[in-house]
Amino acid sequence: MNFGLLAYIGTKYSKPCNGFSAGGTNTPNAVPFLENFDQLERLQADDLSGNLLSIKDFNDEIYEWDICESIQNKIPMNLISTSANSTPIFKAVKYCEFRALSEQHFQFQFFKKYSPSCTLRHFACVLLPPKSYQWLSKFVNFPALPNEVVVPWANLGLDSWDDLIQFNRRYPNNMIHFNASYYDILHEGKINVAAQYIPFGKKIRSMLEIGAGGGSVSFILKKRYDVTVLNTALPDFPYCEYITERGGLCAFLDGEKVLPFAKFSFDVVHHSWVYHALTPARWRDVLLEQNRILRPGGYLWISDGLSYAQLETI
């Protein structure tokens, strides 16, 4: 490897670094959501490189990031140029605190601006984990029990369910996607209906879920029928973070654009209340693109409030 030790990660039984003390920091308020949000000044956050946050009172399932004073001068660097004798010249990596709202806005803007070019970027700030982050168990209740919090809010950088409203105040109803006990049971009923027509147990291996919400469909299909589901979402809420914390797969993907998959990639393509606002012409383009990635003999599963014109287009 071409860089030194980045961070010391361990449990409460790990040997601590000597001579290092982590303290709290004061960070500014979240960066407002602006169309001209500066991508490369990630979060415009304080540089915590010399004062890394440390999670205290953690148990075996909580990770601590720490760093020894003795290796601080060996922190990995970003390459900025190369000298005449081909010796790399680097600049120091900065570390900053995870702040949920700013990070979500950053992801939204970065996704919109850079995802088509697929170009790697160097950011002005590397995120530390959220404070009090917990690694979740592989074996959990499903569906979630009434009022069960399946993902600790701290893992998303939040204090409670109510904090979700800050991500997108125009659509407070979308917060229901993060109520696992309700959302899981709701989609069990929908899958019971779909299973009368789609042979999930005997035939289906893979599915693309466009606009996954809380990802409950993917968890049910995996548990019941061993179907691998790739969830997709836009980062206007922390959908993907929530889904991956529950152990699912999720990618930022705009379902109205070209889908980055080879032809015949999925046995099923599913979306629910994603395309109901499209014109028939745009809807036709979306359907043709989904048909391209759908395996011959596969299933296009649509649950939506479609217009008569959209139904005629299908």
Side-chain angles (χ1 to χ4, degrees), residues 92-202:
V93 170
K94 298 180 180 180
Y95 297 89
C96 57
E97 181 181 4
F98 182 94
R99 289 182 285 138
L101 184 61
S102 292
E103 179 63 11
Q104 209 66 26
H105 290 165
F106 166 81
Q107 289 185 142
F108 202 105
Q109 290 294 349
F110 184 80
F111 170 76
K112 290 196 330 182
K113 185 171 182 178
Y114 291 121
S115 60
S117 63
C118 299
T119 301
L120 290 175
R121 300 281 170 169
H122 292 294
F123 304 112
C125 184
V126 177
L127 289 182
L128 293 169
K131 289 183 287 187
S132 302
Y133 182 88
Q134 298 182 45
W135 186 287
L136 301 183
S137 172
K138 182 176 180 178
F139 307 100
V140 297
N141 298 315
F142 198 90
L145 301 176
N147 300 318
E148 179 183 4
V149 178
V150 298
V151 176
W153 297 115
N155 285 21
L156 303 178
L158 308 175
D159 293 324
S160 70
W161 184 83
D162 294 331
D163 291 340
L164 288 165
I165 190 63
Q166 66 184 311
F167 293 106
N168 196 334
R169 297 181 184 278
R170 292 184 300 170
Y171 297 99
N173 291 340
N174 286 359
M175 291 167 60
I176 198 65
H177 298 149
F178 301 88
N179 183 343
S181 58
Y182 167 82
Y183 211 62
D184 289 353
I185 294 173
L186 172 68
H187 285 89
E188 278 197 319
K190 293 186 176 183
I191 289 176
N192 289 342
V193 174
Q196 300 177 38
Y197 306 95
I198 302 176
F200 291 112
K202 295 182 179 180

Side-chain angles (χ1 to χ4, degrees), residues 8-14 54-66 132-134:
Y8 176 87
I9 307 174
T11 68
K12 62 183 178 181
Y13 299 113
S14 301
S54 181
I55 302 170
K56 300 303 182 184
D57 300 322
F58 58 99
N59 56 39
D60 288 338
E61 295 180 345
I62 301 180
Y63 286 78
E64 179 185 59
W65 285 60
D66 212 335
S132 302
Y133 182 88
Q134 298 182 45

Side-chain angles (χ1 to χ4, degrees), residues 13 18 52 145-146 182 195 245 265 271 301:
Y13 299 113
N18 295 323
L52 293 180
L145 301 176
Y182 167 82
E245 286 294 331
S265 289
H271 41 87
W301 174 18

Side-chain angles (χ1 to χ4, degrees), residues 42-107:
R42 187 188 190 101
L43 313 185
Q44 302 178 6
D46 291 344
D47 178 18
L48 306 180
S49 303
N51 186 20
L52 293 180
L53 297 180
S54 181
I55 302 170
K56 300 303 182 184
D57 300 322
F58 58 99
N59 56 39
D60 288 338
E61 295 180 345
I62 301 180
Y63 286 78
E64 179 185 59
W65 285 60
D66 212 335
I67 191 163
C68 299
E69 278 190 343
S70 60
I71 64 156
Q72 290 223 23
N73 60 349
K74 299 179 182 178
I75 291 176
M77 306 290 184
N78 285 339
L79 179 65
I80 57 175
S81 64
T82 303
S83 63
N85 62 358
S86 299
T87 301
I89 302 173
F90 298 94
K91 64 178 180 180
V93 170
K94 298 180 180 180
Y95 297 89
C96 57
E97 181 181 4
F98 182 94
R99 289 182 285 138
L101 184 61
S102 292
E103 179 63 11
Q104 209 66 26
H105 290 165
F106 166 81
Q107 289 185 142

